[in-house]
Amino acid sequence: VATPQPSQPSPEPCGWIRAYNEAPEVFNAFAAAEDPDGLATRKLRGLTDFEGKEGLEIGCGTGRFTSELARNFACSKLWACDSAPLMLEWAKGACADLDVEFSLANAMKLPHKTQSVDFVFASWVFAYLPITLLEKCLKECHRVLRPCGEIWALESGDAGQLGAPMDGNIHGLLDIGFEIVASVNTELRFPSETLARETLNFLMESKAPAVQGCSVPHQILILKQSRN
Ligand SMILES: C[S@@+](CC[C@H](N)C(=O)[O-])C[C@H]1O[C@@H](n2cnc3c(N)ncnc32)[C@H](O)[C@@H]1O
């Protein structure tokens, strides 16, 4: 898998934070459009073996991957947390009929016992943390992981049109021991051009790509780190 070229990580635009705290429906419109054919999830299923394992999702957002993990990965137990109350409520709704234990929690201080889970999953969480917080977060993930446990992450690559403005700190992740195990070329596909423009402008503000039509090319990276 080609490694993205080094670039300066940019802080998450305020629109994302505003969505987490005040407008989860805007984030959810984005999440519903991202990778609509589920290519990344399918790839992840082929790469992982979560069957019979106990897992924790951090930064679960509105729960799109939480429900996938609970439905299709045969885990024996799944916990999920987010630090934004409105996002967490949405995730609980998305998983109402599923066996997931949710908590309102900061990933820097998880309400889980030491060595109590087999894997940690996080999508679009690590690459946007400043390096000191990333290190703190990973230390906490390693604390809750059992020996030989794994951390799996999804992040945006920079080969899609959305990549550059969303460019998280992929190099920071590689520097601290993540490897890119796959990349998936996909797209954001919105129901209409208006919704595409409104959603991306809200979230990405001045960094939103120019939208022509309902879809935007997008690349998703699947990363992994193992605990010794
Ligand atoms: C880009 S969203 C991704 C949501 C979800 N993982 C997904 O892919 O749809 C990032 C999420 O991480 C959460 N988050 C950010 N920092 C966090 C932290 N320190 N602890 C817990 N959750 C956090 C935000 O509230 C938000 O819901």
Side-chain angles (χ1 to χ4, degrees):
V1 175
T3 304
Q5 291 307 301
S7 58
Q8 280 299 323
S10 46
E12 216 172 6
C14 294
W16 293 96
I17 312 289
R18 207 149 49 90
Y20 308 155
N21 293 321
E22 299 164 21
E25 70 283 0
V26 179
F27 177 81
N28 207 52
F30 176 87
E34 188 170 35
D35 191 23
D37 300 320
L39 303 181
T41 313
R42 213 173 307 148
K43 190 83 175 173
L44 186 71
R45 234 180 13 233
L47 290 166
T48 54
D49 178 15
F50 292 164
E51 187 172 349
K53 302 216 169 116
E54 298 187 318
L56 164 66
E57 183 183 9
I58 59 171
C60 66
T62 52
R64 59 175 161 160
F65 286 105
T66 326
S67 58
E68 277 292 339
L69 289 169
R71 267 185 234 281
N72 297 321
F73 283 72
C75 319
S76 61
K77 174 77 195 171
L78 186 63
W79 290 271
C81 76
D82 201 284
S83 54
L86 293 181
M87 297 291 269
L88 194 72
E89 285 314 305
W90 201 296
K92 285 181 184 170
C95 297
D97 55 342
L98 298 168
D99 185 15
V100 183
E101 206 170 305
F102 286 97
S103 56
L104 181 64
N106 191 321
M108 314 292 156
K109 199 172 187 309
L110 293 166
H112 294 268
K113 290 190 180 141
T114 299
Q115 297 191 7
S116 57
V117 301
D118 301 304
F119 71 90
V120 171
F121 174 82
S123 52
W124 289 274
V125 176
F126 294 133
Y128 299 95
L129 294 173
I131 192 73
T132 48
L133 290 185
L134 174 61
E135 284 169 352
K136 198 171 169 189
C137 185
L138 281 174
K139 200 169 162 196
E140 185 63 348
C141 292
H142 284 207
R143 181 186 71 74
V144 301
L145 274 175
R146 297 192 173 109
C148 301
E150 294 173 340
I151 305 176
W152 286 84
L154 300 187
E155 302 287 354
S156 292
D158 57 9
Q161 198 177 324
L162 204 60
M166 275 186 80
D167 205 1
N169 188 6
I170 299 298
H171 280 271
L173 294 183
L174 300 181
D175 287 347
I176 54 175
F178 274 90
E179 58 171 321
I180 299 173
V181 290
S183 85
V184 176
N185 290 320
T186 179
E187 62 178 340
L188 293 178
R189 197 191 306 141
F190 291 90
S192 71
E193 185 171 329
T194 306
L195 188 63
R197 203 167 285 136
E198 283 175 2
T199 305
L200 295 175
N201 286 345
F202 183 107
L203 296 169
M204 301 172 80
E205 303 178 331
S206 60
K207 294 178 173 185
V211 176
Q212 298 262 317
C214 303
S215 78
V216 180
H218 185 36
Q219 184 192 40
I220 296 177
L221 303 177
I222 301 180
L223 300 104
K224 176 187 163 185
Q225 190 193 75
S226 301
R227 183 191 189 280
N228 296 324

PDB file of all heavy atoms in Angstrom, residues 192-205:
ATOM      1  N   SER A 192     -28.185  14.520  -2.947  1.00  0.00           N
ATOM      2  CA  SER A 192     -28.309  15.648  -3.871  1.00  0.00           C
ATOM      3  C   SER A 192     -27.068  16.530  -3.780  1.00  0.00           C
ATOM      4  O   SER A 192     -26.344  16.503  -2.781  1.00  0.00           O
ATOM      5  CB  SER A 192     -29.546  16.499  -3.530  1.00  0.00           C
ATOM      6  OG  SER A 192     -29.299  17.207  -2.314  1.00  0.00           O
ATOM      7  N   GLU A 193     -26.866  17.322  -4.821  1.00  0.00           N
ATOM      8  CA  GLU A 193     -25.718  18.233  -4.840  1.00  0.00           C
ATOM      9  C   GLU A 193     -25.859  19.283  -3.735  1.00  0.00           C
ATOM     10  O   GLU A 193     -24.897  19.669  -3.090  1.00  0.00           O
ATOM     11  CB  GLU A 193     -25.624  18.899  -6.220  1.00  0.00           C
ATOM     12  CG  GLU A 193     -24.396  19.768  -6.364  1.00  0.00           C
ATOM     13  CD  GLU A 193     -24.196  20.254  -7.805  1.00  0.00           C
ATOM     14  OE1 GLU A 193     -24.585  19.539  -8.750  1.00  0.00           O
ATOM     15  OE2 GLU A 193     -23.654  21.360  -7.970  1.00  0.00           O
ATOM     16  N   THR A 194     -27.093  19.699  -3.496  1.00  0.00           N
ATOM     17  CA  THR A 194     -27.323  20.705  -2.453  1.00  0.00           C
ATOM     18  C   THR A 194     -26.912  20.161  -1.095  1.00  0.00           C
ATOM     19  O   THR A 194     -26.213  20.830  -0.324  1.00  0.00           O
ATOM     20  CB  THR A 194     -28.815  21.111  -2.426  1.00  0.00           C
ATOM     21  OG1 THR A 194     -29.166  21.512  -3.729  1.00  0.00           O
ATOM     22  CG2 THR A 194     -29.088  22.226  -1.445  1.00  0.00           C
ATOM     23  N   LEU A 195     -27.315  18.937  -0.798  1.00  0.00           N
ATOM     24  CA  LEU A 195     -26.966  18.349   0.502  1.00  0.00           C
ATOM     25  C   LEU A 195     -25.448  18.147   0.599  1.00  0.00           C
ATOM     26  O   LEU A 195     -24.845  18.367   1.655  1.00  0.00           O
ATOM     27  CB  LEU A 195     -27.702  17.025   0.726  1.00  0.00           C
ATOM     28  CG  LEU A 195     -27.548  16.449   2.129  1.00  0.00           C
ATOM     29  CD1 LEU A 195     -28.150  17.379   3.186  1.00  0.00           C
ATOM     30  CD2 LEU A 195     -28.208  15.073   2.245  1.00  0.00           C
ATOM     31  N   ALA A 196     -24.840  17.752  -0.519  1.00  0.00           N
ATOM     32  CA  ALA A 196     -23.378  17.579  -0.527  1.00  0.00           C
ATOM     33  C   ALA A 196     -22.704  18.897  -0.164  1.00  0.00           C
ATOM     34  O   ALA A 196     -21.840  18.964   0.718  1.00  0.00           O
ATOM     35  CB  ALA A 196     -22.913  17.113  -1.908  1.00  0.00           C
ATOM     36  N   ARG A 197     -23.131  19.955  -0.834  1.00  0.00           N
ATOM     37  CA  ARG A 197     -22.497  21.259  -0.624  1.00  0.00           C
ATOM     38  C   ARG A 197     -22.754  21.755   0.794  1.00  0.00           C
ATOM     39  O   ARG A 197     -21.829  22.185   1.491  1.00  0.00           O
ATOM     40  CB  ARG A 197     -23.052  22.242  -1.665  1.00  0.00           C
ATOM     41  CG  ARG A 197     -22.136  23.394  -1.909  1.00  0.00           C
ATOM     42  CD  ARG A 197     -22.499  24.200  -3.130  1.00  0.00           C
ATOM     43  NE  ARG A 197     -22.158  23.554  -4.376  1.00  0.00           N
ATOM     44  CZ  ARG A 197     -22.936  23.484  -5.454  1.00  0.00           C
ATOM     45  NH1 ARG A 197     -24.132  24.007  -5.438  1.00  0.00           N
ATOM     46  NH2 ARG A 197     -22.516  22.903  -6.554  1.00  0.00           N
ATOM     47  N   GLU A 198     -24.005  21.661   1.239  1.00  0.00           N
ATOM     48  CA  GLU A 198     -24.343  22.161   2.586  1.00  0.00           C
ATOM     49  C   GLU A 198     -23.575  21.408   3.666  1.00  0.00           C
ATOM     50  O   GLU A 198     -23.044  21.996   4.603  1.00  0.00           O
ATOM     51  CB  GLU A 198     -25.840  22.008   2.840  1.00  0.00           C
ATOM     52  CG  GLU A 198     -26.673  23.055   2.130  1.00  0.00           C
ATOM     53  CD  GLU A 198     -28.182  22.821   2.294  1.00  0.00           C
ATOM     54  OE1 GLU A 198     -28.592  21.868   2.997  1.00  0.00           O
ATOM     55  OE2 GLU A 198     -28.920  23.601   1.683  1.00  0.00           O
ATOM     56  N   THR A 199     -23.522  20.082   3.515  1.00  0.00           N
ATOM     57  CA  THR A 199     -22.872  19.261   4.551  1.00  0.00           C
ATOM     58  C   THR A 199     -21.376  19.549   4.596  1.00  0.00           C
ATOM     59  O   THR A 199     -20.803  19.782   5.671  1.00  0.00           O
ATOM     60  CB  THR A 199     -23.116  17.755   4.255  1.00  0.00           C
ATOM     61  OG1 THR A 199     -24.521  17.550   4.138  1.00  0.00           O
ATOM     62  CG2 THR A 199     -22.577  16.884   5.360  1.00  0.00           C
ATOM     63  N   LEU A 200     -20.740  19.541   3.422  1.00  0.00           N
ATOM     64  CA  LEU A 200     -19.293  19.749   3.403  1.00  0.00           C
ATOM     65  C   LEU A 200     -18.928  21.171   3.812  1.00  0.00           C
ATOM     66  O   LEU A 200     -17.934  21.387   4.517  1.00  0.00           O
ATOM     67  CB  LEU A 200     -18.721  19.399   2.028  1.00  0.00           C
ATOM     68  CG  LEU A 200     -18.860  17.909   1.665  1.00  0.00           C
ATOM     69  CD1 LEU A 200     -18.384  17.634   0.252  1.00  0.00           C
ATOM     70  CD2 LEU A 200     -18.093  17.034   2.660  1.00  0.00           C
ATOM     71  N   ASN A 201     -19.735  22.133   3.412  1.00  0.00           N
ATOM     72  CA  ASN A 201     -19.442  23.518   3.821  1.00  0.00           C
ATOM     73  C   ASN A 201     -19.570  23.686   5.328  1.00  0.00           C
ATOM     74  O   ASN A 201     -18.764  24.366   5.960  1.00  0.00           O
ATOM     75  CB  ASN A 201     -20.365  24.514   3.105  1.00  0.00           C
ATOM     76  CG  ASN A 201     -19.973  24.686   1.654  1.00  0.00           C
ATOM     77  OD1 ASN A 201     -18.874  24.286   1.261  1.00  0.00           O
ATOM     78  ND2 ASN A 201     -20.863  25.253   0.851  1.00  0.00           N
ATOM     79  N   PHE A 202     -20.583  23.063   5.903  1.00  0.00           N
ATOM     80  CA  PHE A 202     -20.775  23.145   7.362  1.00  0.00           C
ATOM     81  C   PHE A 202     -19.553  22.546   8.062  1.00  0.00           C
ATOM     82  O   PHE A 202     -18.973  23.147   8.970  1.00  0.00           O
ATOM     83  CB  PHE A 202     -22.035  22.374   7.772  1.00  0.00           C
ATOM     84  CG  PHE A 202     -22.371  22.451   9.242  1.00  0.00           C
ATOM     85  CD1 PHE A 202     -23.444  23.210   9.686  1.00  0.00           C
ATOM     86  CD2 PHE A 202     -21.621  21.758  10.201  1.00  0.00           C
ATOM     87  CE1 PHE A 202     -23.768  23.289  11.048  1.00  0.00           C
ATOM     88  CE2 PHE A 202     -21.933  21.826  11.556  1.00  0.00           C
ATOM     89  CZ  PHE A 202     -23.009  22.591  11.978  1.00  0.00           C
ATOM     90  N   LEU A 203     -19.167  21.332   7.649  1.00  0.00           N
ATOM     91  CA  LEU A 203     -18.127  20.604   8.379  1.00  0.00           C
ATOM     92  C   LEU A 203     -16.725  21.136   8.090  1.00  0.00           C
ATOM     93  O   LEU A 203     -15.901  21.284   8.993  1.00  0.00           O
ATOM     94  CB  LEU A 203     -18.177  19.109   8.021  1.00  0.00           C
ATOM     95  CG  LEU A 203     -19.453  18.375   8.430  1.00  0.00           C
ATOM     96  CD1 LEU A 203     -19.499  16.992   7.804  1.00  0.00           C
ATOM     97  CD2 LEU A 203     -19.548  18.270   9.957  1.00  0.00           C
ATOM     98  N   MET A 204     -16.468  21.404   6.816  1.00  0.00           N
ATOM     99  CA  MET A 204     -15.084  21.696   6.418  1.00  0.00           C
ATOM    100  C   MET A 204     -14.829  23.181   6.219  1.00  0.00           C
ATOM    101  O   MET A 204     -13.690  23.578   5.947  1.00  0.00           O
ATOM    102  CB  MET A 204     -14.738  20.903   5.165  1.00  0.00           C
ATOM    103  CG  MET A 204     -14.892  19.409   5.404  1.00  0.00           C
ATOM    104  SD  MET A 204     -14.731  18.404   3.944  1.00  0.00           S
ATOM    105  CE  MET A 204     -12.967  18.351   3.801  1.00  0.00           C
ATOM    106  N   GLU A 205     -15.870  23.959   6.286  1.00  0.00           N
ATOM    107  CA  GLU A 205     -15.762  25.419   6.195  1.00  0.00           C
ATOM    108  C   GLU A 205     -14.921  25.801   4.975  1.00  0.00           C
ATOM    109  O   GLU A 205     -15.172  25.298   3.892  1.00  0.00           O
ATOM    110  CB  GLU A 205     -15.207  25.965   7.509  1.00  0.00           C
ATOM    111  CG  GLU A 205     -16.103  25.538   8.691  1.00  0.00           C
ATOM    112  CD  GLU A 205     -15.592  25.990  10.046  1.00  0.00           C
ATOM    113  OE1 GLU A 205     -14.372  26.141  10.208  1.00  0.00           O
ATOM    114  OE2 GLU A 205     -16.433  26.184  10.944  1.00  0.00           O
TER     115      GLU A 205
END
